[in-house]
Amino acid sequence: MRRSLAPPSRWASLLVLVSAFCCLFLSTAAVKHENFKTCDQAGFCKRNRAYADAAGVSGWEAPFRIAAESLTWKDGLLQGTILKTINKNGETVRLPVTITFLQSGSARVTIDEERRQKGEIELRHNSIARKERYNEAESWTIVGGLDVSKTATESREATRSTVTYGSEGQFQAVITFAPFSVDFKRDGATQIKLNDRGLLNVEHWRPKIEKVEPEKKEGDEETPAPEVEAGEDESTWWDEPFGGQTDSKPKGPESVSLDITFPGYEHVYGIPEHAGPLSLKQTRGGDGNHNDPYRLYNADVFEYIMDSPMTLYGSIPFMQAHKKDSTVGVFWLNAAETWIDITKQKEAHNPLSLGIGSKTDTHTHWFSESGMIDVFVFLGPTPSDVTKAYGELTGYTQLPPEFSIAYHQCRWNYNSDEDVKDVDRKMSKHQIPYDVIWLDIEYTDDKQYFTWDPLTFPDPIGMLKQLDESDRKLVAIIDPHIKNKAGYPVVEELKQKNFGVNNKDGNLYEGWCWPGSSHWIDCFNPAAIKWWIGLFKYSAFKGTMANLFIWNDMNEPSVFNGPETTMPKDNLHHGNWEHRDLHNINGLTFHNATYQAMLEREKGVLRRPFVLTRSFYAGSQRVGAMWTGDNQASWDHLAAGFPMIINNGIAGYPFAGADVGGFFGNPEKDLLTRWYQAGAFYPFFRGHAHIDTRRREPYLVGDPYTGIITRALRLRYSLMPAWYTAFHEASVNGTPILRPHYFMYPGDEAGFAVDDQFFVGSTGLLAKPVVKEGADSVVIYIADEEQYYDYFDFKKYSGKGSQTISAPLEKIPLLMQGGHIIPRKDRPRRSSGLMKWDPYTLVVVLSKESTAQGEIYVDDGDSFDYEAGAYIKRAFDFKDGVLSSANLGTKGKMTDKYIKSMKAVGVERIIVVGAPKSWETKKTVKVGKGEAQLEFHAEEGNKAAWAVVKNPAINIAEDWKIEF
Ligand code: NOJ
């Protein structure tokens, strides 16, 4: 126990805290399973699994059917009513259904409940909560792509309706009325089936019938137990206890569920955040499978474990299914607690084929505690078609300020402004590049955000100015819990203006977090967001300047004394929506409010914010980066980072990273070194450590480690132009930054489960950082017959299959695939900002056909001027011995001015890897009307020949040609 956070009068709460803190500061044990629900302990999860089991039994009749006469078709919308039969007497409840066919080729199925929609229900416990099923998830998540198809057509038969849609009419949805189901087809073949197994379930509203136990008289017969409908176990319908607290559940049982089948698809990916392999596992037991479904319920999971379907800090209910040459996807737009069961079923098509030609179907079963059914269906056929379509809806990743994709130096905590300045000086002295130093919660005055501890941070501006001399930045943490302390202006205003989250009775909710007793800002409230924005103005958040950025942590929200370390589900948000309904979006709303606040801290000065978040949802990619939370300084956590980051990327959120070095514990020097080599390939690259760990700034590790780490950092800095170009691509079409094999080679089945190696953007760089203790080589999988070269010594690798790359501690296994042109900046500097005017190096990596292509994107890295054309986008091409640069940009209002400002930025070196032998005697190349020197290096053993053009005197922003 490090510090006392509670006033002496609050002993009871303190006890709760003591146990919470004991957990937080000890780092030996693994996750406390008893703090988090298993499926069996979550009423609706248990009920829906039981429902699925009952549905699997023969004789099962799915109780949902479309009332055919209710169905209307108009302008791409099929609307009607689903009737749910609720008892043997044939009584039904009405569920409005809409199937929307979008111009993008995506389709959307929503199912609501008429009675709740109309508010014709009674809430228990005098609750003032909203009666409808939550219908505002869309307003936080969807930013486009909802234009309805103008070309979709419908044809109706007695038992079904068929809609043909898609740009070329290549898609079809066959809606069967009874039982209700939808088959989605592409080019005539079924790709996705909804309710194929009849697991659709919408728990309709019903009043609680209080059972009066009849008094027993002597001689009475046993009263028979009341008859319960199949799959309906009333024991979990009402007030639900867990961990000593009770959820009052004023709306009773209200879960929704649906089975989604991917016929012929063996792999499914996505639904972050979980620590486990990219290709998701089966969840209903069996060898090597999980026993619980994958859970999505954003939570502060202390000491999370590996290879687990347990929930973590963020959730994106988006899944891709993949088979040879076909990818499809679904997005389950629901913000309540959600679980997903996955099972796979092998089907032998021809019993005589003995497994040859057999295929696997993946069955998924999604259930959420409340809200509507709202599912988007994407029919591909390629992985990038699916990510693009999903991004059209939820938005593409933010084009971040350029510094934020460089290296970040963080720990809990840098203890004073002098400490920060000292680290800054030492990094420079040791010539270790970094862009950002971070301040964790201890910088504040008594955990009151927007203040500085007057003893330890007396001169924040002096500190920020020193950083600015090297174009370096500071990130300070601001969490959503606001200290409940008299005289703290932020909390006083929050109370006075009613901007906090309320408890179930409608009074301000109080819970415990870092500051002790706290309240939580309710960022679902537009007025609260407006107020929050004001708190970040330079005039309000004193001691800050333009090089200060923000970190949002604990926004699941983490509440130390709350159920499952978060808020009670019956808490109330703006509009009296229950926390239960929107829990998974909570983190996004806080992150979004901070993003809005950082956009314009000073009137008229718009800058790209950088805000890191721990909790996230679909759409968070628009407002900043995420990291994988509190990992541990162990080899298995190092290994877990890549599948998690890659998975986040294919779920539309590529600006992701893990704490380099591991948060808990002290990494051995070789682990720390390997972690930096891996981190150099994280889109978000930050070293971070728990307050109880030893200091581990790279210059402290000692030789040879410091040198090796410095080289890894310099590699990241030298490749910054390539990383920034990859971020640009992600920001315009959603393509992941770390691309797994299945994404690059959708037809190569051997690569579908590979998740420990990846390509970086479109650069052709194929990396497999070492994540195993003591390993001095890795086996890398090559999926094609192209020529590959070692990044550092040009050693050649070719031939489809596995290849061994030697990887002693100082070496990162990194290959360049032939056929690419990689932009770099090779002059080591203190920060990326100082590299702005440095000349480029272009690495032309020749394919077997002696060709190569590449792209570069450049802008000021800070403002939104690129939206007005202030950027450079070029295509590089090498063909028939000629290297050329052509414009890919479109002209805008600010293009000319920007290009003019970049006049002095040239290319200082061109390296051609795999240079033809015929260049051996060549001394010069033609550059326009002039020439430049060529230096040829002959092949040596297995190392490819290469050539260097020095100072070709060409500009990065202009058209040019070099003839070899
Ligand atoms: C929890 C975060 O995950 C961690 O990174 C941070 O250092 C602590 N909170 C303290 O703010």
Side-chain angles (χ1 to χ4, degrees):
M1 178 71 190
R2 288 185 57 86
R3 37 179 72 75
S4 153
L5 298 173
S9 59
R10 306 208 180 232
W11 287 111
S13 309
L14 188 62
L15 268 180
V16 176
L17 270 186
V18 170
S19 49
F21 282 124
C22 286
C23 293
L24 285 160
F25 292 106
L26 297 174
S27 63
T28 43
V31 71
K32 284 204 171 315
H33 280 285
E34 65 276 20
N35 287 353
F36 298 95
K37 290 182 183 175
T38 58
C39 179
D40 242 16
Q41 293 166 316
F44 77 98
C45 191
K46 192 175 173 191
R47 294 198 297 277
N48 280 293
R49 267 193 160 185
Y51 193 91
D53 292 341
V57 174
S58 73
W60 164 259
E61 267 178 50
F64 295 83
R65 72 187 145 88
I66 282 202
E69 67 286 356
S70 71
L71 217 50
T72 62
W73 168 258
K74 191 162 185 277
D75 302 334
L77 247 71
L78 191 66
Q79 283 181 299
T81 302
I82 291 179
L83 299 177
K84 174 186 179 187
T85 306
I86 58 167
N87 55 29
K88 288 182 186 129
N89 307 331
E91 266 178 74
T92 58
V93 295
R94 296 168 61 79
L95 309 172
V97 59
T98 305
I99 308 181
T100 314
F101 297 89
L102 303 171
Q103 197 148 13
S104 60
S106 308
R108 178 184 193 178
V109 179
T110 54
I111 303 175
D112 204 339
E113 181 181 348
E114 193 173 277
R115 191 154 179 183
R116 293 190 202 252
Q117 218 176 33
K118 292 183 173 162
E120 290 169 356
I121 67 167
E122 284 144 38
L123 304 182
R124 299 167 59 242
H125 312 299
N126 300 320
S127 169
I128 51 168
R130 280 282 274 272
K131 294 180 171 174
E132 305 97 299
R133 287 180 175 273
Y134 185 58
N135 54 21
E136 293 182 1
E138 170 179 327
S139 64
W140 290 102
T141 311
I142 307 286
V143 289
L146 289 182
D147 291 345
V148 174
S149 167
K150 293 192 177 81
T151 52
T153 54
E154 194 232 11
S155 67
R156 189 91 49 97
E157 290 160 59
T159 56
R160 62 182 190 178
S161 150
T162 303
V163 177
T164 303
Y165 66 109
S167 55
E168 279 136 36
Q170 71 276 38
F171 304 141
Q172 266 188 342
V174 180
I175 300 109
T176 302
F177 301 156
F180 168 72
S181 71
V182 191
D183 281 11
F184 287 95
K185 301 182 177 190
R186 188 182 65 227
D187 300 325
T190 301
Q191 310 293 337
I192 296 180
K193 297 174 172 204
L194 306 187
N195 203 30
D196 174 50
R197 292 187 291 153
L199 309 189
L200 168 64
N201 188 16
V202 178
E203 291 184 323
H204 59 281
W205 181 80
R206 63 210 96 188
K208 182 171 186 202
I209 317 255
E210 302 295 345
K211 289 191 192 87
V212 188
E213 287 289 316
E215 259 179 55
K216 264 195 186 163
K217 288 192 206 105
E218 233 172 281
D220 271 4
E221 302 231 316
E222 271 298 301
T223 329
E227 213 177 299
V228 174
E229 297 287 331
E232 297 200 317
D233 169 8
E234 196 180 333
S235 64
T236 60
W237 279 2
W238 315 107
D239 316 54
E240 213 173 306
F242 182 74
Q245 311 197 35
T246 298
D247 172 8
S248 66
K249 293 184 67 178
K251 298 180 279 177
E254 50 175 332
S255 79
V256 291
S257 89
L258 181 66
D259 62 87
I260 303 177
T261 296
F262 303 101
Y265 288 83
E266 185 161 3
H267 292 272
V268 283
Y269 313 105
I271 55 166
E273 180 180 30
H274 301 100
L278 177 67
S279 179
L280 300 170
K281 289 187 167 184
Q282 298 192 60
T283 60
R284 296 218 60 173
D287 247 10
N289 299 334
H290 296 310
N291 292 314
D292 256 11
Y294 284 93
R295 186 181 190 202
L296 297 176
Y297 187 59
N298 298 351
D300 184 355
V301 181
F302 177 74
E303 294 194 331
Y304 64 80
I305 47 166
M306 301 290 91
D307 195 12
S308 166
M310 267 183 91
T311 197
L312 286 176
Y313 313 90
S315 49
I316 303 181
F318 169 62
M319 181 183 270
Q320 293 196 21
H322 185 73
K323 66 177 181 186
K324 193 172 167 27
D325 293 321
S326 179
T327 316
V328 294
V330 292
F331 172 42
W332 176 265
L333 178 50
N334 185 302
E337 177 183 347
T338 296
W339 299 73
I340 301 126
D341 257 325
I342 298 172
T343 49
K344 298 184 183 183
Q345 200 178 5
K346 277 217 178 315
E347 257 182 29
H349 277 287
N350 173 358
L352 299 177
S353 68
L354 298 173
I356 301 162
S358 72
K359 60 166 194 159
T360 299
D361 296 339
T362 296
H363 296 290
T364 64
H365 182 201
W366 302 62
F367 25 103
S368 296
E369 186 181 10
S370 64
M372 304 193 294
I373 288 186
D374 195 354
V375 204
F376 289 83
V377 173
F378 313 102
L379 292 178
T382 67
S384 44
D385 289 334
V386 175
T387 32
K388 188 163 189 296
Y390 167 76
E392 265 177 47
L393 294 166
T394 62
Y396 297 124
T397 211
Q398 175 206 14
L399 179 63
E402 193 166 359
F403 79 83
S404 66
I405 66 170
Y407 174 63
H408 301 253
Q409 180 64 45
C410 184
R411 75 170 280 110
W412 179 16
N413 219 91
Y414 288 116
N415 298 322
S416 63
D417 48 17
E418 282 308 325
D419 191 6
V420 169
K421 292 200 291 195
D422 184 53
V423 173
D424 177 62
R425 276 191 292 266
K426 288 192 172 131
M427 292 291 274
S428 298
K429 182 171 156 225
H430 289 85
Q431 302 187 349
I432 302 173
Y434 88 96
D435 268 53
V436 196
I437 188 159
W438 290 52
L439 290 180
D440 210 316
I441 47 177
E442 315 297 333
Y443 78 90
T444 58
D445 181 8
D446 204 16
K447 310 288 182 306
Q448 299 170 92
Y449 300 114
F450 306 101
T451 68
W452 298 88
D453 185 320
L455 293 178
T456 49
F457 287 86
D459 183 19
I461 292 290
M463 168 181 67
L464 284 159
K465 281 189 172 153
Q466 179 182 316
L467 296 175
D468 196 42
E469 281 166 21
S470 313
D471 215 337
R472 287 174 174 158
K473 328 283 176 194
L474 184 84
V475 166
I477 199 167
I478 300 269
D479 289 350
H481 45 255
I482 308 294
K483 188 177 174 83
N484 180 19
K485 178 179 164 186
Y488 174 32
V490 178
V491 87
E492 307 233 300
E493 262 187 75
L494 176 122
K495 284 182 181 171
Q496 184 217 332
K497 297 182 168 163
N498 281 328
F499 287 160
V501 179
N502 286 335
N503 62 22
K504 64 178 174 16
D505 306 316
N507 302 317
L508 187 61
Y509 170 70
E510 188 249 13
W512 287 73
C513 205
W514 298 126
S517 169
S518 304
H519 301 298
W520 273 260
I521 177 173
D522 181 12
C523 289
F524 286 88
N525 181 348
I529 297 179
K530 213 164 155 211
W531 170 68
W532 191 248
I533 291 173
L535 298 179
F536 286 82
K537 298 285 179 229
Y538 294 117
S539 53
F541 191 179
K542 298 259 168 49
T544 68
M545 351 187 290
N547 62 340
L548 176 126
F549 296 82
I550 300 294
W551 170 17
N552 285 163
D553 185 19
M554 316 295 276
N555 50 338
E556 297 73 23
S558 174
V559 181
F560 295 158
N561 59 341
E564 300 195 88
T565 329
T566 191
M567 249 177 207
K569 285 177 167 170
D570 47 15
N571 267 7
L572 296 172
H573 288 260
H574 176 65
N576 282 340
W577 291 111
E578 270 201 296
H579 184 72
R580 152 188 359 270
D581 294 330
L582 44 76
H583 172 86
N584 283 344
I585 294 185
N586 187 80
L588 160 67
T589 62
F590 180 62
H591 190 201
N592 166 65
T594 309
Y595 173 91
Q596 302 302 335
M598 295 300 288
L599 266 176
E600 198 180 346
R601 297 187 67 195
E602 180 184 351
K603 207 168 168 32
V605 186
L606 263 179
R607 295 177 62 217
R608 277 181 247 169
F610 168 74
V611 188
L612 179 74
T613 184
R614 190 170 72 176
S615 184
F616 57 89
Y617 189 72
S620 294
Q621 70 271 14
R622 303 189 300 263
V623 286
M626 61 70 72
W627 94 108
T628 61
D630 299 346
N631 59 2
Q632 302 198 27
S634 65
W635 290 92
D636 56 346
H637 274 260
L638 166 59
F642 281 119
M644 290 177 81
I645 294 166
I646 292 170
N647 199 25
N648 237 69
I650 64 160
Y653 199 176
F655 197 6
D659 284 347
V660 169
F663 179 68
F664 293 119
N666 295 303
E668 295 296 332
K669 294 181 177 196
D670 55 343
L671 173 59
L672 184 63
T673 306
R674 286 303 197 191
W675 215 317
Y676 268 97
Q677 294 177 337
F681 290 89
Y682 293 168
F684 171 62
F685 180 18
R686 182 185 74 155
H688 183 39
H690 186 274
I691 195 165
D692 285 347
T693 60
R694 286 196 290 274
R695 294 288 281 249
R696 48 165 107 133
E697 288 69 39
Y699 51 80
L700 291 177
V701 200
D703 280 337
Y705 308 98
T706 294
I708 300 172
I709 291 171
T710 306
R711 283 202 292 283
L713 286 161
R714 290 202 183 150
L715 173 69
R716 171 60 167 238
Y717 275 76
S718 130
L719 286 169
M720 280 285 284
W723 281 96
Y724 196 55
T725 302
F727 269 89
H728 159 74
E729 212 183 322
S731 77
V732 295
N733 62 19
T735 321
I737 290 168
L738 302 191
R739 301 182 187 164
H741 261 267
Y742 91 89
F743 201 94
M744 302 295 284
Y745 298 94
D748 177 28
E749 283 164 304
F752 291 173
V754 173
D755 59 9
D756 53 359
Q757 60 178 73
F758 49 83
F759 286 88
V760 177
S762 302
T763 57
L765 286 169
L766 173 59
K768 183 166 183 173
V770 175
V771 294
K772 281 202 188 82
E773 185 169 12
D776 57 7
S777 67
V778 299
V779 176
I780 202 161
Y781 174 67
I782 289 181
D784 59 21
E785 294 296 341
E786 190 46 86
Q787 181 66 59
Y788 287 75
Y789 306 87
D790 185 284
Y791 181 83
F792 303 98
D793 64 8
F794 307 152
K795 194 169 164 204
K796 292 195 275 185
Y797 292 87
S798 59
K800 181 170 158 54
S802 296
Q803 307 264 352
T804 302
I805 302 183
S806 143
L809 188 63
E810 63 278 8
K811 175 88 188 281
I812 306 176
L814 177 62
L815 300 183
M816 300 184 286
Q817 184 189 42
H820 296 272
I821 300 176
I822 306 164
R824 297 199 313 216
K825 285 195 175 187
D826 285 353
R827 300 186 184 187
R829 302 273 182 198
R830 279 165 292 160
S831 72
S832 71
L834 298 178
M835 295 162 67
K836 193 165 179 163
W837 309 110
D838 281 353
Y840 287 88
T841 291
L842 298 180
V843 185
V844 180
V845 191
L846 292 185
S847 69
K848 283 174 143 177
E849 286 75 38
S850 285
T851 58
Q853 281 94 39
E855 275 185 23
I856 190 169
Y857 173 83
V858 188
D859 63 21
D860 67 16
D862 178 69
S863 75
F864 289 93
D865 290 356
Y866 67 91
E867 289 174 354
Y871 67 91
I872 295 165
K873 190 169 177 182
R874 315 283 314 175
F876 303 122
D877 185 44
F878 185 93
K879 205 170 56 211
D880 303 328
V882 179
L883 175 66
S884 61
S885 169
N887 188 21
L888 283 178
T890 47
K891 205 167 164 162
K893 215 168 72 216
M894 298 184 84
T895 309
D896 288 344
K897 189 169 160 228
Y898 179 68
I899 301 283
K900 212 165 148 209
S901 76
M902 292 295 287
K903 230 175 57 203
V905 182
V907 176
E908 65 176 340
R909 190 183 302 117
I910 292 164
I911 302 172
V912 182
V913 182
K917 203 167 179 328
S918 59
W919 292 4
E920 207 162 7
T921 52
K922 229 185 243 291
K923 294 279 174 269
T924 57
V925 290
K926 259 177 80 183
V927 185
K929 288 192 182 114
E931 54 177 39
Q933 278 184 347
L934 180 79
E935 198 179 272
F936 183 82
H937 301 260
E939 195 166 301
E940 256 180 60
N942 194 21
K943 291 180 186 159
W946 53 291
V948 185
V949 179
K950 288 187 177 157
N951 292 323
I954 48 177
N955 187 291
I956 195 68
E958 285 166 7
D959 288 355
W960 42 256
K961 255 196 185 116
I962 301 182
E963 291 168 50
F964 285 79

